[in-house]
Structure formats: C-alpha cells, structure tokens
C-alpha cells in the first residue's frame, strides 16, 4: 500500500486520460455542471482486486459533487509492471461562467487532476492523449448533449505551486457553446416584435385615447416577458449582460415614447383649449351682434375636442 | 474471487435479462431518466452469500445515478455450475432527446451492459430473451407509467471497440411515446383559440379604437401562454421545435395583422382629414354665400370622425 | 447465516406487519410518494446483534428510494425460537395515479413485500393483522398527513408468478383521498366566477366597444389561471382529466360568446350603414326639395352610430 | 456490546438532553422541517472509541431524513461508570402544520426519543433539563433562524404503549411563530389596496364604459396575486385557511359589485331607451304638427346616451 | 488511536488553516450556503495510511451538509513528530442573513472549528495564518464566485463555554457582498419607470376615461413585477426589507393618485351636472321666451360632458 518505488527519490509516472462522454447539464440554480468523464490512470494486463495495490490519491479540485461511481473492483496488471485502472465517473464541477453574451455565449470549464499529498518529485502526471486526440475521441464517444454543444478539449500539463509545494497537475479545458435557438425564438424575437409594435403606434392618431392604451399594454407585455428573463439568468457578474441591456433599453425606449405621447396629448389639449378660449372671446364679441347659429357651431366643436 | 475458469483462455458466458417495471420520469430540468429495470445475471439453484463468489463487473455506461439498489445478499448456485443473481435497480440514465415534434414525440433510450475491464475473449454477454419476449414481459410486469407510454424494447448484442479493445456489449433500446393530451388541451388549443379570435377581429369596425385594444389584448394573452411553453421545453436542439415555430408563427401573424390595422386606421384618418380639408375649402367658399345651417352639419361630422 | 431449517424442504414462516405512520407527500414533479411505514418481521424475546442471524431478504418492488432507515442493531430472540425485528423506514414508492377526477380523486397505492430469491416453498409470508386491524392501528398511530387523507389499508396474501417461480407475497393496498378544498377555492371558484361575468356581459349594450373589451379581459384572466392548472396537473393519462375539460369548456364557451358578440356588432354596423345609405339616398332626393334642418339631423345620427 | 447490566432485570437509566441550534426551514414543498438539534446521551469522563461500547438504540420516530451527522468517534467514560456521548445532528422531521391562521400561525412540532427494541423496564429515558432550562439554553445557542421564530421548548417524559409493550419516551415539543411581515406587505396589503380601488370605483360615473373596464382590470390584478397565494400555501387541511377565505371573499365582493354595475348600466340603458321611445312617440305625434328643430334636439340626445 | 500524549495532562496543539476556493451559492430556498474550503490540520513529512493514527475529532457546528469529501487516504508524517493532513471539502453551512438592504447587502458567515469531546486543556486549536494572510491566500486561490463577491476573511481564536466545559475554537468570519447589478436592472429600474409613468399621467386630461385606464394598467404591471419580488426574497426578518418598503411605497403612491383621479373626476362630473341643472333652469326660463336654436345648443353640450 506504500508508493511502489525501491528508491525513495524515484518519481512515479502516472499516465492519465479523460474522455468526455456527455455534457449533462449546466444548471443555473446551483451553478454546477454535471460531467460524465471516463478517466483511466496507468497502462497494460492482469486483473487484481483493486484494494491490494497502491493507487495515486488523485483529486479534481473543481469537483463539488460526484455520483456513486462504478469503479471496477479489479485493476489490470501488465507484464512490464504497468497497472491500468478505469474509473467511469459522473462529476459535478464548479465552473466560472461568463454570461455577458448570453444566450450566444461560449464557456470554458477546467477539470484538473492533482495528487492531494504528493509533490511533483514523488508523483508526475502525464496526459496520454494530446489536445487533438482528446477532442477527437471525445467527439467519437460523446452521445448525449443537451443545452451545451461540445467544441473541443485542451490538455495542459503544469506545475502547480500549492503553498510552496510543487505539484504535478493536468488541466483539461473544455470549451462549449450554448444552443441559443430557443432563447432567440422564445425571448429575443417577442421583445423585438413588441418594439416593432411600439414603433408602429406612432401612426395611431394622437388625439384619441387608444394610442395611450395601446402603448401601455405593449409595455405590460414586455414586463410579463421580463419574468422569463429573471428565471433564466443568474446574478453572477458585475456588469449587466447584453441581453439585460437590450431588454432595459427596449423598455426605456418604450417608456420615453409613451412619455412623449402623453406630453404631445397634453400640449394639443392646451392648444385646443386656448383656441377655444379665443373662440369664446370672439364669440362673446359676436354675441352682442347676434347670430345664434354660429354660436352653436363653435360650442359643438369645443365640446368634442375635450371629450375623448 | 478470480474469474472462475481453469484455462485462462476460456471465455465465460454471462446470460443477462432486463425487464422494465416502470418508467418513472423523464424530467426536463436535469435531463435524466429514472428507470426501474430488474436485471438478473446468470441461471439455475443454491443460495450462497453474494460476497464469496466472483461476479462480472458489469456497468451501464448511460447510467448517471442509481438509487440504493436492494441486491439480495444471496446468489443461487445451480447443480450445472450456473450461478443466478438478481439485482432490482432504480436507474437514472442519460438519454438524447429529440424534441422536434414535441409534444407528439417518441423517444428511444439505450441501456447498455458491458464489463469495465474484461475483453470479449474473457467475458461474453448473451441476452436470455429476444426483443419480442422482452417487450412482452415488460408489458406484463410494467405497472407504473407517467408521462411516457412504453412501446417496445429491442435487444442487440454487439462487439464494442473501446480504444482498440473489443468488448462484448448488450444494448437494450427502449421506445416510448409521450402522452400529449394535456399539452394539446392546455397549450395548443388556447393558442389556436386566440388565433381564431384574431381572425374574427377582422369583422370589428376599423374606425373605432376597440379593434386595436382587442387585438393587443389577444397578443398579451398569447405572451402569457408563452411563459408556460418556456417552462416545459428545454433548449436541447439546434433547430427550433415545431411547437416553437407554431407559436412564433401565430405570434408573428397576429403582429402583422395588428400592424395592418394600424396602417389602415392611419390611412382612413388621413383620407378623412383630406376630405375634411376639402369640405373646409368648400365651406369657406360657401361661407361667403351664407347658409349657416349647412356649415353646422359639416363641422359636426368632421369632429366625430377624429374624436374616437 | 443460512436459512435456519434442519430439513431443506421445510418452509420458513415469516409474519409481517406494516403500520403507516405518516403520508408525507405525493408529489407531482417526480411522481414518487414518501411513506413512513413501520414494518416488523417475526415475533417474541432476547436481543442479539442483528448481523449474526439469518434474515429474510425481503424487498418492496414499488419502492424507488429509501431514506436512511434506522434499523435497530439488535434482534429480539424469543424462547420459542421466534425472532423479532423492527425496521422503521421512510419509503418513496412508485404509484399509478388516476387524475381523471382531480381534485376530487382517490388514489390506491400498493406496498408489496416479497423475497428476492426464495420460492414460496422456502419462504412463506403471513400478515399478522387483517385489513380491519391494520386500518385501525394505522389510524391510531398516524399523526401527520398533508394533502392526502388516509382512508384504509387492505392486506392481501397472494402467490406471485415470477418467471415461472412461485413466490409468496403480501400486498398492502392503501386508499387515500385528496383534500380538495384549496383547489376548489383557488382554482375552480375563480373560473366559475369568470364564467358568471361572461354570462353577465350579455347585459352590456352591444353597440359600445366596452362589451368587447370586457369579454377579452375576462378571457385573459382565465388564461392567467390556466398557468396555475399547468403547474399542478401532470401529463400522466391518455384521457384529459375532467378539470381540464371543464377549463377548456369554459374557455371555449367564452370564445364562442366573444365571436358571437363580434358578429352581432358587425351585423349591426352593416345594418346601420345600409340604413344610412338609404337615408343618404332619401336625403339626396330631399336635397333637391330643400329643408336644411332635416339634413342636419340625419347626418348627426349616422356619424354617431359608426363612431364608437 | 450487550446491555451493560449484571442482573437482567436492572433498568438502565439514560439521561438525555436536546438543544436546538437552528431552525433551518419549514418548507412547503415537501413538508419537512430541518432541525439542527444537538443531543447527547449520558454523563462524566474518559474517551474510548465509540464502537466498543453498548449504546442505546434510540430513534426519533418523527425524523424522515438525517444529513450525515458528525458523531464523535469517541465516548467519554467517567469514573462513576457514566458514559457520555455527543451526536450533533441535522434532522428533517415530519410535523403536522395548522395553516388555518396563515401567515399569523404558530406551529408546534414534536421530536421524540425512544428505544427501538427495549421496554421501559429495560431502558428508562430521563431528560436532563426541564422545559425552562431547555428553552433558556436553546435561546442562548440558537443563532440561525429563518422564517420561523423559536418561542419555547417543552420536555415531557412519558410511557408510550406500542402494541402492548410499554416504552420509555421523551417528547420535546417546540413552539415556533411564523414571521409574517413579508406576507403582509407582499400579499395582504396589495389585496386590500385593490379592494379600496374597487370601493372607490363607485364614484366613477355609471354611464361611461370606463367604470366597467376599471373594475375588470382590478379583478385581473387580484387574479394575478392569487398565483402567488397558490405557490405559498399547501393543500393540507380540510378547512379553507382564513387567508383563502379573505381572498375569495374580496374576489367575490368585487365580482358582485361588477355584476351590480353591469345590471345598473343595463337598466339605465333600458330606461333611456324607453324614454327615447316615449320621446319618439311624442315626436311622431309632433311630426304631424311640424317643428323640425325640436326633433333634432331629441335625436341628438338619444344617440349620445347609447353610444358610450 | 488514543490521543498521542505521554502525560495525560499535556495539551495537544492543532494548527489549522482554511482557504476558501469558491463561494458556490447562497440559495434562498433552503437557506444554506455551499462552501468549498480546503482545511488542513497539522504540519511536516512521511505519508502513512490515515486510519492508523489518532486524528482530532473536529466538527464545524454551522455545517448542515457536506458532499462526499475526497480526504487523502494518507497522512504526512514529519521528522519533528508533526502530522499533516489535507481535507478538501464542499460544505453547506447555516448562516444568518440580513436582507434588510437587499439587494445591496453584505453578509458575514462564520465557519467554526471545535472538538466534539475534548476540552481546551486536552486540545488547543491554533490558526496558522492571521486574517490578512488568510484573505490574501483565499483571493489567490478563489476562482469561482457566483452571486457573491468575496471581500475578506477574519480569523478569531477563542474559548467557547459549552455547558461549563471550555473548548478551544477557531472562528473564520467570511464577509461577502451581493452582486446587485441584475436586481437593479430587472426589478428596481422597471418599478422606477412605472413610477415615472404614473407621475406623467398627471398630464393626461382628467375628463376622459383614458387616464383611469392608463393608471390602472400601470398598477397591474407593478403587481406583475411583485411576483418576481416574491420569488427572490425570503421571509426571514422581523422588519420589512427596504426593497419591500420601496415597492409598497410606490404601490401605495400610485393607489393614492388613482383615488385622487377618481375623486376629481367625480367632483368634475358633479360640478358639470349642477351647472347643467342651472342651465336647465335658465333654459326653462328661456323656453317661455322661445328661440329653439339656443335650446339645441345647451342640450348638446350637456350630453357630451357626461358621455365619456
């Protein structure tokens, strides 16, 4: 069960490969990602029960949760002293998301492997496949992808300075693209449609109440759509994502055009009132000179302009 | 605990059967499926504690989670050397969904069995039942189905090339149909109803404000229904599902008819204004020639046409 | 640890009782039910550590999940050779729901006990209490019920044919009734209220735009209520539940009455227009014969009828 | 590992205390409560590994789930033969809720301790603190409370008759009060505001359409608020909670006042029509006697009263 | 496995450091926080299997849940007798939140370490880093933060009086700031916009129905936005948070202005009616003196003022 070296200073090489089988979910609520990588550690063959041999104490620092992984109870022992083990795992890893370009964003997530206790002099990690091979194999075996489209995987071997202890580390960087078609159809397009409606409302006559009622109903519909936005977008960045700027912009524009309508209506009314007053003054002058029929005409007009 | 063969090159045959007892859920949120298959591995009888015998290290690659399975602590040993074990399990498997025809879609999900470490020369998997028998038995024992209706199950034995190592593999393909009646009643029908209303609104008189107010309220109701769509449909495909196209189509049609109404109202108003102006011109001509009563008539008309 | 019989063909009798302590939840989302039954298996007394004795390998096929059950580490050994064990468990079982009469539905769920490996000749299950006693005891000990009201429990001993092997099985059938008062007040009543409003709207004058605006707002309110229905009802049956038929019926009725209103308004307008035209024709005839005051009257009328 | 008594009939006394550290949540969805009590069982000191001593097999019947509790691997052995153990636990217990006075309700939840297998003659449970002390200590150590305000804790020792076996039992009854301020502001107040608006609408002139449109919009807003109520209130009682009665009462009142408005409008219209008809009859009488100007006046009036 | 001291009264010093790697979530629903601290306990080097040595029985009292932590199976033994162990953990801790200034709030959460059974004379905890160093290191290694921005970490060593037993305790106080930008854009801004609209509505003419309809629609939109508030804010304090006061204030203001509008409209109508009656009286006086044309004028005016 101790590190299988004759000389204490010999470095043990551990070859390691990870193939991604599925990107299950990248959920907003708890901000975790479920992975299904299949990593195997070592190389060639006789099976021995897994408990009786030393195994490297590798961890994945980004991992926050792991579902019961079905590790084989056997290791394969090869004639050259190589030991091979398989460990299919379903992982949940923490991953920093950049939602600024949501829903047209790409995300890169790291899955690193390092020993908990061994320094790089004791344990040296080596990736079996380079980035191109790993991407190719992952594309071949990947069969389940949901919202996220796997783009590629990059392998980096590096030395990690952990409180002045050097440790060997392999970092797999996975690049994914969000499938944005549903967000476009269900959210961006309706907002755009309502913006068109708001533009079109400039054609509606200013002096009827229906323009006001129309514009405020459009604004209400945009407010209803914002409930959806609130549910799909997390509060994880310091800058407002572009989609929020877009929404608030549309909202603000509609608001301004609504205010403009109210002011125009107000001015038109004032104007007509002052003209009425003028007419009234004229009329009172005319009154003296008689002509009842003319008076009837003007009164009728004035009443209409204020009534609706 | 080693593979129970005298000669290292003898292939061990493992007979295997899976019966599905219930399709519990196919949840959108985490895109997993909960299965309750009952697989047993081997055939005929004496019970021995399960720990003291070699068991094949079978895994289900699609499985992402498994609830505490109640494996019997005993194996049944038969006189011919056959060993029989039962393992009722509740599985969650990853399954690629095709939501294009939602809610009238059928889904096929695979549940595969393969050894983690053994090649096909060491371990050979054989299905006990063929597809017809497996379907029949599953139909017999299945008693709980929710949203998904079990159609059939197909058994395929194949050799799987896993990084140049051949492995014996049995793939059960389960075909299911979604129960669409509730989606039809709660979503498709209301949308259709609102589309009818929008058509009917062509009968409403163009020169009153109520047509505009009616159409925008119908559009608001369709927006409210889209919140439901957003909750039931995942963003897991590159093409927009038909139901989204249907929704956006209805939405777009309503928008166009609304824009048309606004333009028609605008033109009618322009038209009436120009006629008014003409009348005014006529009137100013008539003014000179007297006849106050005629003037009263025209003014009254003009005021009404712009007022509502 | 083997079955404690001297003669291999002796059948072991296992007495079994289940008391339900609480019906915790019957959740829509994942369609599981959480039970808290307390089953104990065997009868009379000396406590021995539980690991050193043979225990029947009973399973509950309907169970999909079980929370960490606090099985006593001791068994009670009685002088007659009887062994008694307790196993308080919190279970989640799969249960086929009939939501057709929702929210006035009753549900029956089974909890069965059978051995995984033993035939009925080896292991024979016997219920300690009959249905009446079990119901009485469950009522006595039950203290927590939420949405579901426990009605009774039925005990059935039967022989289960499992792939041509006969197994002894005890089925407890639990009958529950849903508490419907909240659904009635929060959903059925508002829908009914809105239906009344729709009926009442027949009293509103047809030739004003307010009838149309009133009816479409009522329809919008019913649409908002349908979001609630969508959240509380699962898509688990082939027929539409009665509550959905009720909703869609109300919705459809309102739609028809709205269409009727639109058509009536359209016909009234057509009618008034044709009368206007007639009047215009009459007028043009009268025009020649003079009388300006009469003309003023008719024009005024016509303008009003089309304006609102 | 057996009960540490020399004589079989000696009763073992177990002293027990529970301090509540936090009331984490009392969630509606699954109706569980998460507790963080800290119970320790026994009294004074030498630490021995916990596995090698007999421990009482205590269970908490109300517990439905327990998070991985960090029991110390050591027990403290005191010179007098006392054994002390600590067991900080996070519990989820089932608790019958009385939501009738929601959101101004108080809840009492029990946490009981009893042995699974021992009778009261074998095992006797004793509470270390009385109710006052337990309340005081809990108030001292409690630092995290969310929606629920801890009031007090009551300790009761009693003999529990479990299928004719007497068992010693300690019941801790925890009384909590809901923090209702947010529910008042976010739900009760808006409903009240809308009720005020509905009252105020009596001032709006009956013969314009805006009263109807105003009242139906207020009703729509109350319907939107009912979605919130539906989300926060469970269906767990046979009587409708007061808040639901309040809501439905307000809703019903608004409905009645709306119906009254419709009827009044209808009667006013009928009245004006009949007066119109009378006027028409009068007019037709006058017609013969001439006077065109009077006719013009009456027609104008009639048209206005029906138009809006 | 006993405490590794020669003399029973020697105090064992345990040096301890915690670095925070990620603040995963501070979720409303269950009020837990997921941490990913990396604590290691002790200092310098030979690896021995972790089971064979005494380890301090440290617990974190605030912890309510812990995900499967990947503790190294080895401890590092240093020549001076120091033992070093690593324990990367994902924790969920209970934390008292102050939501009064939501969404511009800062939260401080404690993570304490203390022994379950040892007194401060037996076990003495010492922090390796002081507050400044711990903050610096946490900032360096922290790579994943979502809604919460890590500010700093404070280390406090103190003696904790636990039922008259003194225990050594280290408290790490973590200060975090909420990222409020999304809440501002999606909630505060729209509310403010609607308040502006309500102010602007003072410009709309009082004697038309559109003012009333406009204001009630704005109020409806604010009600829709309150659904969002209800979802993001917990009911965990006795005072109403400022954001709720803000909302209810805006709501109340809109309500008052709406009531004022209704009253003004009522008074205007009353006024015009009384003037009408006066006019009628005047008219009835004039009636005697003839002049039919003047009568037509006054009637026309009165009808208009009440009609809309």
């Amino acid at each position: 069960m101790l590190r299988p070296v004759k000389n204490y200073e010999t470095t043990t090489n551990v070859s390691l490969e990870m193939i991604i089988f599925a990107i299950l979910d990248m959920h907003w609520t708890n901000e975790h990602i479920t992975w299904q990588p299949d990593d195997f550690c070592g190389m060639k063959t006789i099976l021995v029960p897994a408990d009786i041999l030393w195994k490297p104490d590798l961890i994945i620092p980004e991992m926050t949760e792991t579902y019961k992984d079905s590790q084989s109870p056997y290791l394969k022992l090869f004639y050259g002293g190589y030991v091979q083990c398989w460990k299919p795992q379903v992982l949940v890893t923490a991953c920093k998301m950049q939602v600024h370009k949501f829903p047209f964003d790409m995300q890169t997530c790291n899955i690193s492997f390092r020993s908990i206790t061994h320094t790089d002099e004791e344990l040296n990690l080596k990736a079996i496949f380079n980035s191109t091979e790993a991407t190719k194999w992952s594309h071949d075996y990947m069969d389940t992808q949901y919202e996220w489209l796997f783009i590629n995987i990059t392998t980096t071997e590096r030395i990690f300075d952990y409180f002045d202890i050097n440790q060997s580390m392999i970092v797999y960087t996975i690049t994914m693209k969000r499938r944005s078609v549903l967000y476009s159809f269900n959210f961006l397009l309706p907002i755009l449609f309502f913006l068109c409606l708001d533009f079109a409302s400039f054609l509606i006559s200013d002096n009827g109440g229906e323009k006001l009622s129309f514009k405020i109903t459009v604004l209400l519909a945009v407010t209803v759509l914002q409930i959806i936005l609130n549910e799909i977008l997390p509060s994880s960045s310091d800058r407002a994502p572009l989609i929020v700027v877009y929404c608030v912009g549309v909202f603000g524009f509609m608001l301004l055009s609504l205010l403009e309508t109210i002011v125009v209506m107000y001015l038109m009314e004032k104007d007509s009132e002052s003209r009425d007053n003028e007419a009234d003054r004229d009329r009172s002058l005319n009154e003296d000179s008689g002509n009842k029929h003319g008076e009837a005409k003007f009164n009728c007009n004035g009443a209409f302009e204020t009534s609706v």
Side-chain angles (χ1 to χ4, degrees), chain A residues 2 4 7 14 18-19 24 41 73 93-94 100 135 181 184 196-197 206 234 243 258 272 286 302:
Chain A
L2 291 179
N7 185 335
V14 173
M18 185 183 76
I19 300 297
L24 290 183
C41 41
T93 65
H100 192 246
T135 303
V181 68
S184 306
C196 291
L197 276 186
D206 255 336
I243 196 172
L258 194 43
S272 101
N286 289 343

Side-chain angles (χ1 to χ4, degrees), chain A residues 95-163:
Chain A
C95 178
K96 193 180 182 70
M97 297 194 81
Q98 303 289 353
V99 293
H100 192 246
K101 293 183 182 168
F102 177 89
F104 303 104
D105 49 343
M106 287 181 79
Q107 303 292 342
T108 55
C109 288
N110 286 346
I111 294 185
S112 322
F113 291 84
R114 66 171 177 83
S115 167
I116 302 179
T117 49
H118 294 85
T119 64
D120 64 335
E121 283 171 9
E122 291 164 358
L123 199 77
N124 189 26
L125 296 175
K126 267 186 157 62
I128 300 174
F129 296 136
N130 60 25
S131 302
T132 323
E133 284 169 342
T135 303
K136 181 188 155 296
W137 281 110
S138 288
H139 270 297
D140 281 7
Y141 286 110
M142 175 98 55
D143 51 13
T144 325
Q145 301 175 64
Y146 297 102
E147 192 177 336
W148 294 93
L149 200 70
F150 174 75
I151 302 294
N152 69 359
I153 190 171
T154 314
T155 312
T156 323
E157 294 170 17
R158 64 187 189 88
I159 301 300
F160 176 66
D161 177 13
Y162 187 65
F163 293 105

Side-chain angles (χ1 to χ4, degrees), chain A residues 50-226:
Chain A
D51 296 337
I52 66 172
L53 275 189
W54 176 89
K55 276 169 299 178
D57 56 343
L58 298 181
I59 56 157
I60 303 171
E62 291 92 355
M63 183 184 83
T64 58
E65 214 172 336
T66 175
Y67 295 99
K68 206 176 194 163
D69 45 275
S70 47
Q71 182 169 10
S72 169
Y74 311 107
L75 298 171
K76 225 166 195 168
L77 220 75
F78 290 79
Y79 54 93
Y82 291 108
V83 184
Q84 187 182 22
C85 76
W86 288 265
K87 198 174 179 184
Q89 252 182 318
V90 179
L91 295 182
V92 179
T93 65
C95 178
K96 193 180 182 70
M97 297 194 81
Q98 303 289 353
V99 293
H100 192 246
K101 293 183 182 168
F102 177 89
F104 303 104
D105 49 343
M106 287 181 79
Q107 303 292 342
T108 55
C109 288
N110 286 346
I111 294 185
S112 322
F113 291 84
R114 66 171 177 83
S115 167
I116 302 179
T117 49
H118 294 85
T119 64
D120 64 335
E121 283 171 9
E122 291 164 358
L123 199 77
N124 189 26
L125 296 175
K126 267 186 157 62
I128 300 174
F129 296 136
N130 60 25
S131 302
T132 323
E133 284 169 342
T135 303
K136 181 188 155 296
W137 281 110
S138 288
H139 270 297
D140 281 7
Y141 286 110
M142 175 98 55
D143 51 13
T144 325
Q145 301 175 64
Y146 297 102
E147 192 177 336
W148 294 93
L149 200 70
F150 174 75
I151 302 294
N152 69 359
I153 190 171
T154 314
T155 312
T156 323
E157 294 170 17
R158 64 187 189 88
I159 301 300
F160 176 66
D161 177 13
Y162 187 65
F163 293 105
D164 302 332
I165 297 165
N166 284 333
Q167 284 192 308
S168 178
M169 196 168 172
I170 295 186
V171 183
Y172 293 94
T173 308
I174 296 145
T175 312
M176 292 165 306
K177 206 173 139 238
R178 188 191 298 273
R179 285 177 163 133
S180 57
V181 68
L182 216 77
Y183 295 104
S184 306
F185 274 97
N186 271 354
F187 187 76
L188 294 179
L189 220 62
I191 294 262
L192 204 70
F193 280 179
F194 283 119
L195 187 64
C196 291
L197 276 186
D198 200 70
F199 272 113
S201 72
F202 278 113
L203 291 182
I204 305 176
S205 157
D206 255 336
N207 56 356
E210 71 263 26
K211 184 170 185 179
L212 214 57
S213 148
F214 182 86
K215 283 177 103 82
I216 187 71
T217 310
V218 170
L219 206 58
L220 180 63
V222 171
T223 307
V224 166
L225 280 174
Q226 266 194 329

